[in-house]
Amino acid sequence: MPRPVPAVLSIAGSDSGGGAGIQADLKAFARCGVHGMTAITALTAQSTVGVTGIHPVPGEFIIEQVRTVAADIGVDAVKIGMLGTAETVRAVREALGHIEDGVPIVIDPVMVAESGAVLLDDEARAAIVRELLPLATVITPNLPEARVLAAGAERAGATERGRDDVEDLARALHGLGPANVVVTGGHRDEVTDVFFDGTSVTLLAGERHPDGAAHGSGCTHSSALAAHLALGFSPQEAARAARRLASEAVRDGHRSIGRGPGPVNVLGVAVRAVTPDRLARQA
Ligand SMILES: Nc1ncnc2c1ncn2[C@@H]1O[C@H](COP(=O)(O)OP(=O)(O)OP(=O)(O)O)[C@@H](O)[C@H]1O
Ligand SMILES: Cc1ncc(CO)c(N)n1
């Protein structure tokens, strides 16, 4: 029987501060109207200020999480976020074997948190390039992540082009095997996402919210993109919708939660807490 709503799986890390990672992904899935599922790759002890500890989940248990939900519920799209170690990358590669061929896969090659904490080691970076990027429907690096991945591409002879032009970066990353590339714009002044499908480049422009709260913007973006693929949108349409939702989530973000860069708020004004005061006013 077809599922009443698409089911989307996030394979990613937990952010105990609730702003990024799995926690952001589930909120983005809810906002998009899809059923969200999770396979947690690592627990982070994290706030808006930094990451004080990382506790990787054993590879076998990552695979078990994926196998279990795939067997019962089924998976209409996958989003992959924080991986951390090469062992985790290998486990995720194996876990994908439990998901039907042709299911769209969005990879956000998470390397560093908004607070500056490193979330991926060097060996894992090489493993992602080798084992996962060729399987991706869309990859969504931010500018620093794109530069790091493209440096590897150049070493591998995938491109001779310059590394500073974002469009050239997107082309170089396409050479690593993903079907589509979005270089997100949060780290540039004009906040334009660059989409490349192997043939043409499309600039996804939109409003910049310099005073917003951006912790979790990348996770929100890649999850919204995966949700839109599950809903039947093309990669380019999904990237456009994801850019808009992420931008609004930054705009509506909670600047005063925590002492560091505050968390995005993808649910926006749609959700207002029912306080005793508000309830009394309604009565
Ligand atoms: N200040 C902003 N105003 C509008 N849109 C933004 C802003 N910052 C980020 N975005 C949008 O959010 C999405 C995620 O981009 P970004 O480059 O911030 O990801 P990231 O750096 O991976 O995020 P994270 O902080 O979670 O690691 C993109 O669509 C981007 O255009
Ligand atoms: C768990 C986790 N995943 C991704 C990011 C990137 O923002 C983060 N800060 N934490």
Side-chain angles (χ1 to χ4, degrees), residues 129 148-163 168 171-177:
V129 170
V148 169
L149 294 173
E154 282 177 4
R155 272 201 302 278
T159 176
E160 300 293 319
R161 291 164 182 270
R163 257 186 285 146
D168 281 342
R171 288 176 201 278
L173 296 184
H174 191 268
L176 295 172

Side-chain angles (χ1 to χ4, degrees), residues 67-89:
R67 189 175 53 225
T68 301
V69 299
D72 172 38
I73 301 169
V75 178
D76 295 304
V78 181
K79 170 250 160 88
I80 299 176
M82 176 187 168
L83 293 164
T85 69
E87 192 203 328
T88 299
V89 174

Side-chain angles (χ1 to χ4, degrees), residues 109-131:
V110 172
M111 294 182 188
V112 177
E114 180 82 8
S115 57
V118 175
L119 299 173
L120 186 78
D121 68 32
D122 289 350
E123 203 198 332
R125 192 190 316 144
I128 288 179
V129 170
R130 211 176 40 245
E131 311 232 2

Side-chain angles (χ1 to χ4, degrees), residues 88-108:
T88 299
V89 174
R90 282 190 288 273
V92 169
R93 172 78 189 79
E94 193 178 329
L96 292 176
H98 293 282
I99 292 172
E100 275 174 48
D101 286 349
V103 169
I105 299 174
V106 177
I107 301 182
D108 182 8

Side-chain angles (χ1 to χ4, degrees), residues 121-147:
D121 68 32
D122 289 350
E123 203 198 332
R125 192 190 316 144
I128 288 179
V129 170
R130 211 176 40 245
E131 311 232 2
L132 292 180
L133 295 194
L135 307 177
T137 311
V138 187
I139 63 168
T140 64
N142 62 25
L143 186 56
E145 288 158 354
R147 285 206 175 106

Side-chain angles (χ1 to χ4, degrees), residues 12-15 20-23 42 44 46 51 81-82 108 110 112-115 119 215-219:
S14 161
D15 169 4
I22 285 283
Q23 288 79 355
T44 69
Q46 184 172 178
V51 175
M82 176 187 168
D108 182 8
V110 172
V112 177
E114 180 82 8
S115 57
L119 299 173
H215 176 69
S217 56
C219 305

Side-chain angles (χ1 to χ4, degrees), residues 190-228:
E190 71 272 33
V191 200
T192 298
D193 294 357
V194 175
F195 176 86
F196 181 61
D197 61 7
T199 308
S200 50
V201 168
T202 308
L203 301 181
L204 307 175
E207 246 180 283
R208 175 177 158 78
H209 304 293
D211 300 326
H215 176 69
S217 56
C219 305
T220 300
H221 173 266
S222 51
S223 296
L225 207 164
H228 279 79

